[in-house]
Amino acid sequence: MRHTISVLVENKFGVLSRVSGLFSGRGYNIESLSVGETIDPSTSVMTIVTTGDDLVVEQITKQLNKLIDVIKVTDYMEVDHVEREMVLIKVAPRKDDRTEVLQLTEIFRGRIVDSGPTTYTIEITGNEDKITAFIELIKPFGIKEFVRTGKVAIAREGVKKK
Amino acid sequence: MKKSGAEILIECMKREGVKHIFGYPGGVVLNIFDTLYDDKEIELILTRHEQGAVHAADGYARASGKVGVALVTSGPGATNTVTGIANASMDSIPMVVFSGQVPTLLIGNDAFQEADIVGITRPCTKHNYLVKDIKDLARVIREAFHIASTGRPGPVLIDLPKDVTAGSTEFIWPEEIKLRGYNPTYQGNKYMINQAAQMIAHAKKPVIMAGGGVVSSGAWKELKELAELAGIPVTMTLMGLGGFPGTHKLSLGMLGMHGTFYANTAVQNADLIIGIGVRFDDRVTGRTNAFAPNAKILQIDIDPTSIKKNIRADLPVVGDVKNVLKDLLKAAKELKGQQWDAVRSSWLKQIESWKRERPLSYQPVENVIKPEFVVEKIYEVTKGEAIICTEVGQNQMWSAQFYKYDYPRRWLSSGGLGTMGYGFPAAIGAQFACPDKVVFDIAGDGSIQMNIQELATAVIHKLPVKVAILNNGYLGMVRQWQELFFRERYSHTELESGNPDFVKVAEAYGAVGLRATKPSEVEPVIRESMKIKNKPVFLDFVVDWKEKVFPMVPAGAAIDEMIFEEMEEKKEKKLKAVK
Ligand SMILES: Cc1ncc(C[n+]2csc(CCOP(=O)(O)OP(=O)(O)O)c2C)c(N)n1
Ligand SMILES: [Mg+2]
């Protein structure tokens, strides 16, 4: 099973390597990891997407909690939440395809953030399904470069346990 | 008042109650050593290797229950501590290690004797720090001692750049510790504890498995009371020895790979395993899917990660073992109409018959010293009151099997990491912690050579530490595996041809060396060593090299699939020494 885990940590040097070292040292895998400061500059949030059976994910959250610099761990599998990820895609469509690329971007509510003589750079934000769908559709037009931020997640208000 | 970083360090240690530091100097810690030079309250014990310093701090901690402290220089001094730190980490030993570091401005430049010790020890410490600003120093030290000694204890390393200890600032002792990410659970959940009491009441064939957590939380009284109240036999992991009296009629001794027949058999036939301060290490469980197949598992531990890591848990209780046992006892006593004796009598009878069926044993041979016999004699002569440290290998297992530990904190052995070279420096640390106790290191001829240089430390400090070398001329435990599983191909396990004369080695350092080559000499030699009060003693016991540790659970087998001595004898192997 795939889990999105959010880890509230002390915003100190070395914390990222404590967390990533925990994953590599214990053989857990990280599909994506994104880190950023919260509104309180003394803390950061790491959003980690990982896979594993229930026992493994239970160990992961416990091991994370055990780190002194970790303040709070939330496994979003158990919480109603919103997830987003952003990708930047540089496409180089043939001349006749350019309009179609623009239309697709529009349909997915993406934005063209840069364009060159032969390329567009598209920004797409959404959940995983949307991003995967968009990538599949845009692939045939020729993706030159592609970066994704990794997922971030936040609980819905009036957090309900699922 | 302004103080230098080094003075702050010493002042903080005093406030933490530190009396002894085990250490080794070097360039970047000169300021600290200079400050210690005039200090009357804290004694620095110069070991002959940084590994020795850390193991000594570990032994000090295990014997006393206090935080052990080590102080070393940067680079090689720091990297030499890694084994000792990893060892303490695996066995949850409270320890603070101070390492010097190059000045902050040079960090990252591959400066002389620079090593990223914080990075290196991250996975083998409970927590670690690099102090970049002298203003953080007092707070970090305070936090380190707190983290090391609370919750599930463990080692904490503090890396101290030279300019931090050389600089000066206003000293402010932080009264309060604020660590929002560190809140161990000390009290067990009441509902779960009541459930646990019910579970115990309903069990017909319960077994308590006591681990290192019983010792570190100081829960031996509560454990004994529970076992006696509810009539439950108790087996111990290697780390748990001494957590329950080894001579108690409910004691099953140690379980696991070299556990007793009756402990392993009881566990495999139990309907309830009560794991107390154990983490179900693979040396204890054998093949995990065959472990205690008919039992429900009730697990009590302060560390949630110990639960459901290797073995299922039907009822987990997270909390300090001592607190949980107190509550559990109360809940058990409140159970109405519970007739403990009646429910348990047939199970306890069964246990007794297993004990009679196969006690721990060995075959004495005329004129050859059996290593088990040496351990038995040490037990007799010391009346079971000594602090026993061990090295790793057969010596460790025989010490676990043939000495009965009736008291906690008198069994100091490297459990999780299995570190050869641990026992002797640990014995030195233990002797500093307990100057009035008899301290033995039961050693192998291989292991003792891993930290033999600490003879100098023991001699200088007039420590009457006794090292009983079970000298079998081999890396015996590895040889045992080669004999049993590698067709007697003794690849690189023969030591005798290169072994020194241990008596002469001892003498060369100014210690006493004694030797026994016949069974009749064993007891006199031990008695002789007991008379020596101001020097370490090496006791060289030339023992049967063929002797193996039994019972033995082969790797990957269930713990009741044991090999016994007579099964091996029947094979009538002609054992040849490689000499
Ligand atoms: C530092 C270290 N290196 C290697 C090992 C692997 N090992 C485990 S037992 C053992 C043999 C120990 O020999 P000795 O000290 O003579 O003890 P004996 O088994 O003969 O009693 C070895 C090499 C270890 N545990 N620790
Ligand atoms: Mg040996």
Side-chain angles (χ1 to χ4, degrees):
Chain A
M1 272 298 246
R2 193 107 160 275
H3 290 244
T4 305
I5 296 172
S6 146
V7 193
L8 180 68
V9 299
E10 297 287 352
N11 193 1
K12 290 183 187 157
F13 66 88
V15 178
L16 177 60
S17 70
R18 280 184 211 283
V19 170
S20 61
L22 175 83
F23 276 75
S24 59
R26 293 188 180 267
Y28 308 141
N29 81 315
I30 298 184
E31 273 185 20
S32 77
L33 166 74
S34 82
V35 198
E37 225 174 62
T38 69
I39 194 78
D40 168 4
S42 74
T43 63
S44 307
V45 165
M46 297 184 186
T47 312
I48 300 170
V49 178
T50 184
T51 48
D53 61 26
D54 287 354
L55 278 178
V56 169
V57 175
E58 185 179 330
Q59 267 299 313
I60 293 177
T61 56
K62 287 176 178 176
Q63 292 286 357
L64 283 167
N65 261 313
K66 195 168 152 179
L67 296 176
I68 310 287
D69 286 334
V70 167
I71 302 163
K72 189 166 180 255
V73 180
T74 313
D75 179 358
Y76 280 116
M77 192 67 122
E78 295 159 359
V79 180
D80 223 354
H81 67 285
V82 187
E83 269 181 19
R84 288 291 179 273
E85 184 173 16
M86 189 184 83
V87 273
L88 294 173
I89 308 170
K90 197 179 277 178
V91 276
R94 294 197 325 243
K95 228 181 181 148
D96 341 352
D97 292 336
R98 292 182 76 119
T99 354
E100 203 176 336
V101 166
L102 291 179
Q103 276 168 357
L104 276 173
T105 307
E106 186 110 323
I107 293 167
F108 278 79
R109 291 198 220 141
R111 296 197 305 150
I112 306 292
V113 289
D114 185 35
S115 68
T118 57
T119 60
Y120 286 131
T121 300
I122 307 165
E123 172 200 311
I124 285 277
T125 306
N127 61 17
E128 200 173 336
D129 290 349
K130 176 177 163 184
I131 287 176
T132 319
F134 183 74
I135 293 166
E136 286 310 312
L137 285 172
I138 213 80
K139 246 187 208 159
F141 297 103
I143 296 179
K144 272 190 76 180
E145 225 182 304
F146 169 96
V147 279
R148 48 204 305 172
T149 55
K151 249 184 230 174
V152 290
I154 199 163
R156 285 189 194 278
E157 218 17 62
V159 185
K160 291 184 295 274
K161 282 241 164 187
K162 266 194 197 161
Chain B
M1 200 185 71
K2 279 207 168 191
K3 276 187 193 296
S4 75
E7 287 165 349
I8 292 174
L9 172 64
I10 306 302
E11 178 59 30
C12 288
M13 282 203 256
K14 283 181 189 164
R15 294 190 188 217
E16 296 292 348
V18 176
K19 297 273 184 300
H20 297 98
I21 305 173
F22 299 90
Y24 210 94
V28 298
V29 288
L30 276 167
N31 285 300
I32 307 172
F33 275 74
D34 189 61
T35 310
L36 279 168
Y37 196 50
D38 303 319
D39 200 275
K40 301 279 179 298
E41 287 168 56
I42 294 186
E43 183 183 6
L44 185 125
I45 295 120
L46 175 71
T47 55
R48 263 48 178 182
H49 191 303
E50 288 88 353
Q51 186 188 356
V54 180
H55 288 328
D58 175 314
Y60 185 91
R62 288 190 210 221
S64 67
K66 291 194 251 172
V67 178
V69 180
L71 166 63
V72 301
T73 192
S74 66
T79 54
N80 269 348
T81 66
V82 173
T83 303
I85 294 173
N87 186 71
S89 176
M90 291 287 265
D91 288 350
S92 310
I93 304 306
M95 179 191 289
V96 176
V97 176
F98 295 95
S99 53
Q101 183 54 281
V102 301
T104 38
L105 279 176
L106 292 183
I107 291 179
N109 289 3
D110 298 326
F112 178 64
Q113 294 195 327
E114 178 183 358
D116 175 14
I117 197 64
V118 169
I120 291 170
T121 59
R122 208 169 270 138
C124 62
T125 48
K126 184 168 171 185
H127 195 55
N128 61 15
Y129 294 90
L130 167 64
V131 182
K132 281 187 166 171
D133 184 342
I134 187 171
K135 293 200 183 67
D136 296 331
L137 184 57
R139 174 184 57 80
V140 165
I141 296 170
R142 186 113 167 79
E143 287 178 8
F145 277 84
H146 176 68
I147 290 169
S149 58
T150 55
R152 177 176 172 179
V156 178
L157 176 132
I158 303 179
D159 204 18
L160 299 167
K162 182 171 183 163
D163 50 323
V164 169
T165 49
S168 67
T169 190
E170 205 62 41
F171 172 65
I172 304 163
W173 174 248
E175 289 299 336
E176 246 183 280
I177 297 168
K178 281 182 249 128
L179 286 164
R180 54 187 163 177
Y182 180 66
N183 303 296
T185 307
Y186 292 107
Q187 293 299 334
N189 178 295
K190 286 277 143 55
Y191 173 79
M192 298 294 235
I193 290 172
N194 285 329
Q195 293 288 105
Q198 292 290 345
M199 221 171 179
I200 295 172
H202 289 127
K204 299 218 160 44
K205 300 187 281 181
V207 173
I208 289 174
M209 223 175 112
V214 172
V215 177
S216 59
S217 86
W220 44 88
K221 282 205 199 77
E222 290 76 8
L223 172 61
K224 185 158 168 267
E225 207 185 324
L226 178 69
E228 287 173 351
L229 170 80
I232 310 173
V234 181
T235 179
M236 285 154 278
T237 66
L238 186 90
M239 289 303 296
L241 292 175
F244 185 79
T247 55
H248 197 288
K249 66 178 191 320
L250 287 169
S251 169
L252 299 172
M254 185 172 74
L255 84 163
M257 182 171 271
H258 292 295
T260 61
F261 163 75
Y262 35 94
N264 287 357
T265 308
V267 164
Q268 293 300 81
N269 286 280
D271 65 353
L272 176 66
I273 300 289
I274 307 164
I276 308 179
V278 288
R279 59 188 173 86
F280 292 101
D281 175 86
D282 52 271
R283 282 291 185 273
V284 157
T285 61
R287 196 168 74 245
T288 46
N289 60 9
F291 176 75
N294 308 311
K296 285 227 155 65
I297 294 185
L298 159 62
Q299 191 181 352
I300 304 168
D301 203 286
I302 196 160
D303 180 0
T305 69
S306 292
I307 291 167
K308 286 199 243 173
K309 181 166 60 181
N310 304 325
I311 288 285
R312 66 200 185 274
D314 299 285
L315 185 67
V317 184
V318 176
D320 178 68
V321 163
K322 190 181 174 89
N323 294 338
V324 173
L325 286 184
K326 270 191 184 145
D327 292 345
L328 184 56
L329 267 167
K330 196 157 161 273
K333 284 178 187 161
E334 281 166 7
L335 292 173
K336 297 250 156 55
Q338 178 68 25
Q339 302 280 327
W340 297 107
D341 293 347
V343 266
R344 294 285 185 266
S345 63
S346 68
W347 175 233
L348 292 179
K349 251 184 228 145
Q350 171 71 74
I351 299 263
E352 281 311 311
S353 85
W354 282 327
K355 280 190 181 176
R356 276 193 308 273
E357 185 182 334
R358 249 182 217 286
L360 283 172
S361 67
Y362 61 93
Q363 300 304 318
V365 175
E366 217 182 328
N367 280 326
V368 180
I369 303 178
K370 290 283 178 166
E372 298 93 330
F373 175 72
V374 176
V375 178
E376 276 181 350
K377 282 293 164 202
I378 295 174
Y379 177 67
E380 275 173 42
V381 172
T382 60
K383 304 192 183 72
E385 308 257 307
I387 294 178
I388 301 292
C389 306
T390 76
E391 302 293 340
V392 169
Q394 294 178 315
N395 58 83
Q396 178 182 33
M397 293 301 126
W398 288 318
S399 305
Q401 293 177 332
F402 289 89
Y403 199 101
K404 305 283 170 260
Y405 301 90
D406 277 345
Y407 315 95
R409 302 203 174 282
R410 300 210 191 159
W411 159 252
L412 279 53
S413 193
S414 169
L417 200 65
T419 313
M420 290 170 68
Y422 167 77
F424 185 33
I428 290 174
Q431 190 78 79
F432 270 104
C434 307
D436 301 328
K437 293 220 169 77
V438 174
V439 180
F440 265 88
D441 173 34
I442 301 184
D445 47 325
S447 301
I448 190 59
Q449 294 185 69
M450 286 215 177
N451 272 317
I452 202 161
Q453 75 288 346
E454 299 308 332
L455 258 171
T457 314
V459 168
I460 287 290
H461 291 276
K462 302 189 166 50
L463 304 179
V465 167
K466 295 158 212 350
V467 181
I469 304 171
L470 305 180
N471 188 350
N472 53 11
Y474 277 92
L475 296 170
M477 186 56 94
V478 184
R479 190 205 65 77
Q480 171 166 347
W481 283 60
Q482 290 172 331
E483 181 190 324
L484 297 177
F485 310 118
F486 288 85
R487 292 177 288 128
E488 298 169 56
R489 287 159 52 82
Y490 299 137
S491 175
H492 303 286
T493 44
E494 192 276 328
L495 295 179
E496 195 188 330
S497 52
N499 272 347
D501 179 332
F502 289 110
V503 171
K504 283 194 185 147
V505 171
E507 287 167 358
Y509 273 97
V512 176
L514 303 170
R515 177 171 292 127
T517 54
K518 293 201 294 273
S520 61
E521 294 167 354
V522 170
E523 189 175 329
V525 156
I526 298 169
R527 292 206 180 276
E528 176 70 27
S529 78
M530 297 284 284
K531 288 188 205 138
I532 299 159
K533 304 286 185 203
N534 60 352
K535 276 180 190 174
V537 188
F538 267 22
L539 300 88
D540 184 18
F541 294 104
V542 180
V543 299
D544 184 3
W545 68 271
K546 296 196 243 16
E547 194 65 7
K548 293 180 285 298
V549 182
F550 291 113
M552 175 179 196
V553 178
I559 59 166
D560 52 357
E561 294 165 10
M562 286 165 272
I563 310 176
F564 301 101
E565 184 166 20
E566 72 274 10
M567 290 159 70
E568 279 308 305
E569 273 176 2
K570 276 198 199 110
K571 290 187 190 160
E572 284 183 17
K573 281 181 297 199
K574 289 204 185 58
L575 294 176
K576 300 188 293 286
V578 266
K579 284 155 242 170

